[in-house]
Amino acid sequence: MATLSPDDRRWLDVAIAEATAGRDEGGIPIGAALVADGKLLAGGHNRRVQHGSAIHHGETNALENAGRQPAAVYRRSTMYTTLSPCDMCSGAILLYGIPRVVIGENATFMGAEDQLRSRGVEVIVADDETCRTLMKEFIATSPELWNEDIGEED
């Protein structure tokens, strides 16, 4: 898919580290990093299991961890995420006017990428092997958690 710039690689690696932390906590290995002006505003990872939460996906957790930001900051940010963002996370990206999303992989799950693109968001898919492996291993060992996370029946 896309060849990442060194900066994009750096920040996707932060999201991957977040995904690994989530896995190590017994959660779902999806991570994110919100970056503006070359600085990390916050990382986050899916914490649905850890917090008993319906909404703490990687991207929403990163937004939560970044705290309140002026609209202008969001409008010059990039959201890095290890997995294609779902409808909820894509909605948050659109709500805050985040203009750019770098996705680790979308083979495991195809989120609302077309919706993001149709609203003018630049979407870059890295097709990253580490991201695919994290999800493949997780789904093999915890299919019930994966199905719950994406709203599917077992």
Side-chain angles (χ1 to χ4, degrees), residues 21-28 45-53:
R23 179 201 62 200
D24 293 348
E25 294 170 359
I28 299 164
H45 53 272
N46 186 304
R47 301 195 74 162
R48 292 186 70 246
V49 172
Q50 299 91 315
H51 287 178
S53 170

Side-chain angles (χ1 to χ4, degrees), residues 58-72:
E59 300 90 339
T60 56
N61 187 242
L63 285 164
E64 172 75 11
N65 291 340
R68 293 174 57 197
Q69 299 292 324

Side-chain angles (χ1 to χ4, degrees), residues 50-121:
Q50 299 91 315
H51 287 178
S53 170
I55 62 168
H56 273 280
H57 284 195
E59 300 90 339
T60 56
N61 187 242
L63 285 164
E64 172 75 11
N65 291 340
R68 293 174 57 197
Q69 299 292 324
V73 172
Y74 293 119
R75 291 193 174 101
R76 59 180 189 266
S77 297
T78 297
M79 178 68 77
Y80 293 86
T81 180
T82 59
L83 186 65
S84 185
C86 71
D87 288 335
M88 178 177 67
C89 295
S90 294
I93 289 163
L94 293 172
L95 176 68
Y96 290 106
I98 297 169
R100 188 167 182 268
V101 178
V102 175
I103 299 168
E105 68 104 345
N106 63 4
T108 302
F109 176 81
M110 174 63 77
E113 293 176 30
D114 288 341
Q115 178 188 20
L116 291 169
R117 286 185 188 100
S118 76
R119 299 276 297 273
V121 176

Side-chain angles (χ1 to χ4, degrees), residues 132-152:
R132 284 194 312 273
T133 299
L134 277 167
M135 290 310 301
K136 181 187 270 187
E137 290 173 355
F138 173 75
I139 292 168
T141 60
S142 301
E144 69 291 342
L145 282 178
W146 171 242
N147 287 332
E148 177 189 320
D149 196 58
I150 62 171
E152 296 289 329

